[in-house]
Structures are given as C-alpha cells and as structure tokens.
Amino acid sequence: MRDPQVLRSLHQARFGAHFGAEPAIFAAPGRVNLIGEHTDYAEGFVMPAAIDFATLAGVSPRADGKVVIYSENYKEERVFEAAALPKTKTGHWSDYPLGVLSVLAGEGLAIPAFSLSIWSDVPLGSGLSSSAAIEVSTALAVLSLIGASYPGPVLARLCQRAENEFVGASSGIMDQFISANGKKDHALLLDCRDLSYKLAPIPADVALVIANTMVKHAVTGGEYTSRRAQVEEAAAVIARHRPEVKFLRDATLDDLERWGGEMSPEALKRARHVISENLRTVAAAEALERGDREELGRLMAEAHWSYSRDFEASCVEADAMVELAQDLPGLIGARLTGGGFGGCTVNLVDAAHAAEFAARLGERYQARFAIRPEIYLCHASEGARKLD
Ligand code: ADP
Ligand code: MG
C-alpha cells in the first residue's frame, strides 16, 4: 500500500474527483524520534527517522484568483483570495497550510492562485508529526508552482516558523527537519545548534514498531511551555557561574552537582534529563553505527525512565506500554517518543519478530487498559520529495 507509485495514483484520482484537474504531487513523511527528547530547544541532539507514513499534497494552478485548500482527512474545504490571505490563525486545521503561505509571502514570494488537496496516513495528533508533514508537503507543492526551491534545512526552518509564528505551537526544529531531510534506512543524528547532521544506518533486519497508547493527557500544550521554561531556568542558573553556558547543551552533569541547589527542584530534574539525554543520543548514534543492539536498548530504556521520572512527561499508559514490551521476543529497545503525556512508544524490534511482537504488545495493553492500541510497523524512509 505504501508504494509511492500507488500512493501517487490514488491521490491523483482523489484530486481529480474533487477539483477536476491534474495535480503535481508531493509527499512529506511523518517521523519517529528514536532518542533525544526535549533537547532540541536546548540546542542539543535528537535522532529521529522519517517513517513510511506520509502526507501527500496535490497542487494545480487556478485562474480565478483563489486559493482552495481541501483536506481528504477532514473532507473539508476552505476558500481564500490569493491576494488577501489570512494573516493570523483561526484555530482551524487550515492554519497549517496558511502558515506556510504566510511565511513564504514574508520571504518575498508572490503566492499564486491554486488548488491544494491534502491527504495523510500519518495518524493526526499522535506524536508522529502530521503537522510537520502537512507543512513540508504544502511548502514543496507551492514552491513548485512558483518555480522556487530551497535546500532541505532552509525549507525545514521556514516550516518551523509557520508552526511557531502562525499556528502558535512552540515546537523545535526536529519535526520539520527530519520530514524534509530524512533518508531511507537511516536515522539522522541532528545537532540542533547548527543543523549539522550525520546519518546512522538502521539495519534491514530491524523494524520500527510504533505503539499508539491512544491517550493524550495534555491537550492544552501548557505542559510543553512549562517544561521549556524550567529548562531555561536551569540554564540561566548555570550561566551565572559559567557565562559561556547559553543553553543546556553547553552544561554538564558536574555543573548540576555544583549549582543545582540554586534551582527550583523541578528545574534541576528537567536539566538532569536534558543533559543526560544529550549524552545518550550521541551514544545511541554510535551504537547504531557499530550495530551494538544491546547498548542501544540500554540507552533507550534509560532515556525512557529519565523522560518519565526526571522530565515527568510520561503517563501511566506510556510507562506500561514500555514495560509490557520488555520480555517480548525480538525487542531491542523501547521508549516513549514525542512531546509526552501519551502518544506513541517507539520499539526497535528484530524484523523477524516484528509482527508477533506487535500483536502480543497490543493484546497485553488492551488487557490492561481496555483500550485497543494502534500499532504501526514502519521502516525508516526517504524525506520529502516530488512523486513523479
Ligand atoms: P502531530 O504533529 O503529532 O500529528 P499536532 O497537534 O502537532 O500533532 O498536529 C496535528 C494537527 O495538524 C491536526 O489537528 C490538524 O489540525 C493538522 N493536520 C495534520 N495533518 C492534516 C491533514 N492531513 N489534514 C488536515 N489537517 C491536518
Ligand atoms: Mg506536531
């Protein structure tokens, strides 16, 4: 089903049925973060992989001066004047594509009239970054109409700005970066300080099994903001003693030993997570490089419990999803991925065991919570591109 040619012709047919025109089609993947949580805005390291769930954006020019945006997922259409696009959000899903248009217009590009049809099999709002996928696919589609293009890292920054400045979600750069720059069969160790990156191979016999807890406890997003403020508080305390520390990226566990007493207890714990997570993320890339599965699993477990106990961004369901996976055949490592408080866990699993692993994990979780989890068998996939 996820053969790009099949996806392309299905979306072409949907586009034709809705708009009666022939589209150019662009795909941008969702992502799973293997390790490195809440490190991006501390200018640290993350290691996501693009997955083979994607958002497709079909686009064709219009002659009536309108921008018409349709979501196949919501079966809903919005119509705007290309010459008078909204400058602020309305809280509707169309904020995501409109945010991209707003940022591109701010770069001096003239937005033409067009029809845009969005379809996605990235589960929406589950922590696999359907938001970055809709932004990046929309950006590629619109840029192609204009005849403009940007290098992947620049495209990612523009889409991040759409989400930060227009939609109003204070996310880091990771989601858009991996959606724009992912590589098939690889994870990407990204240095969020300067956006330099290294690819780390994911062997063909390792599957990414993503288990959706189907719960999301922090609907307001207020927790993200408070965690971020605590991380910044900790960095500011260390900077009083070591002015060269601008972000927790620059701090060490030794700094915490010495000056942690000057922070709020929350800031100290959050900082311990972020500083140790940076070390684990770099170590995990090296473990992937060496094919050291045992070390990778150990680092993922440590990362999960640091995220749960020090960052306090897990929940009963996510902790259970990780625990229930531990003794299943084929598990290499498991942890909660994404912003926290629910969403998905990522499990690296020996591919030969992946299907059975998924089935048994699902049964166990359902027996515990009476919730049927969605479990996705994924592979690391290519970043955003045109589907020819
Ligand atoms: P995540 O990025 O983890 O999936 P977010 O809350 O950041 O969760 O983004 C999800 C939101 O993005 C949806 O609620 C919707 O507003 C928008 N979105 C994503 N994909 C689509 C789509 N295919 N059609 C319409 N809106 C979408
Ligand atoms: Mg998102």
Side-chain angles (χ1 to χ4, degrees):
M1 250 318 272
R2 299 207 198 101
D3 176 328
Q5 287 321 312
V6 176
L7 285 178
R8 208 199 87 85
S9 43
L10 283 174
H11 198 54
Q12 188 176 27
R14 284 188 291 256
F15 193 98
H18 192 80
F19 286 117
E22 185 68 23
I25 298 179
F26 299 81
R31 63 98 185 94
V32 65
N33 190 21
L34 302 185
I35 190 163
E37 223 62 78
H38 283 264
T39 45
D40 56 356
Y41 54 80
E43 298 210 338
F45 296 93
V46 295
M47 190 167 67
I51 56 176
D52 39 3
F53 287 86
T55 297
L56 304 190
V59 71
S60 69
R62 295 179 71 97
D64 61 1
K66 298 197 186 305
V67 165
V68 182
I69 305 177
Y70 178 66
S71 166
E72 284 284 349
N73 295 77
Y74 291 126
K75 303 271 179 256
E76 200 180 28
E77 183 179 275
R78 281 286 197 267
V79 182
F80 308 92
E81 294 298 326
L85 290 167
K87 295 204 165 29
T88 50
K89 66 172 173 178
T90 61
H92 188 256
W93 61 262
S94 55
D95 289 345
Y96 291 85
L98 289 174
V100 170
L101 300 181
S102 169
V103 167
L104 293 180
E107 292 295 295
L109 299 176
I111 306 299
F114 62 86
S115 300
L116 181 76
S117 169
I118 300 290
W119 169 93
S120 188
D121 64 356
V122 182
L124 273 48
S126 296
L128 301 181
S129 211
S130 70
S131 59
I134 190 175
E135 291 151 10
V136 174
S137 58
T138 297
L140 283 186
V142 174
L143 287 170
S144 84
L145 271 189
I146 300 174
S149 73
Y150 292 107
V154 178
L155 184 70
R157 269 286 184 229
L158 293 172
C159 291
Q160 182 201 10
R161 283 182 47 207
E163 188 149 342
N164 292 170
E165 296 166 16
F166 194 94
V167 178
S170 55
S171 55
I173 185 67
M174 169 171 68
D175 299 354
Q176 292 82 8
F177 197 93
I178 186 66
S179 184
N181 301 292
K183 280 282 164 284
K184 189 170 157 48
D185 300 325
H186 288 79
L188 190 154
L189 175 68
L190 175 66
D191 183 340
C192 298
R193 167 147 283 171
D194 59 8
L195 300 191
S196 62
Y197 65 90
K198 265 198 332 223
L199 296 172
I202 299 179
D205 61 348
V206 173
L208 304 175
V209 181
I210 299 172
N212 192 340
T213 62
M214 314 302 281
V215 302
K216 188 76 205 161
H217 292 295
V219 270
T220 59
E223 295 290 335
Y224 181 93
T225 312
S226 74
R227 293 299 185 284
R228 199 167 164 156
Q230 290 155 351
V231 164
E232 281 158 14
E233 179 199 329
V237 167
I238 296 170
R240 293 208 288 256
H241 305 277
R242 286 213 298 129
E244 67 275 23
V245 173
K246 301 279 182 262
F247 293 89
L248 285 185
R249 157 68 179 276
D250 308 307
T252 64
L253 292 170
D254 200 46
D255 293 332
L256 281 190
E257 289 277 313
R258 297 172 72 179
W259 301 305
E262 297 173 29
M263 300 166 193
S264 67
E266 289 76 29
L268 172 58
K269 289 169 82 174
R270 309 307 180 236
R272 193 161 59 208
H273 166 76
V274 171
I275 295 171
S276 63
E277 186 82 345
N278 274 326
L279 299 171
R280 282 188 293 271
T281 303
V282 172
E286 288 164 5
L288 261 186
E289 199 71 56
R290 295 196 301 275
D292 186 344
R293 297 183 182 196
E294 210 165 301
E295 174 69 354
L296 193 59
R298 196 187 64 73
L299 290 164
M300 287 177 77
E302 225 178 87
H304 177 78
W305 294 110
S306 169
Y307 200 33
S308 178
R309 294 183 183 136
D310 274 347
F311 213 75
E312 296 182 273
S314 186
C315 58
V316 176
E317 295 87 350
D319 284 351
M321 192 72 93
V322 165
E323 276 164 340
L324 294 171
Q326 291 307 312
D327 64 342
L328 289 176
L331 180 74
I332 297 166
R335 55 176 285 282
L336 171 61
T337 184
F341 311 102
C344 296
T345 67
V346 56
N347 302 265
L348 292 188
V349 182
D350 189 344
H353 289 93
E356 200 204 333
F357 175 93
R360 290 185 60 189
L361 182 59
E363 283 162 19
R364 287 180 171 189
Y365 185 82
Q366 191 170 358
R368 173 84 64 95
F369 295 104
I371 301 171
R372 180 195 288 277
E374 286 177 8
I375 304 198
Y376 321 107
L377 267 62
C378 297
H379 292 91
S381 88
E382 198 64 21
R385 65 210 181 278
K386 183 172 191 192
L387 298 184
D388 284 314

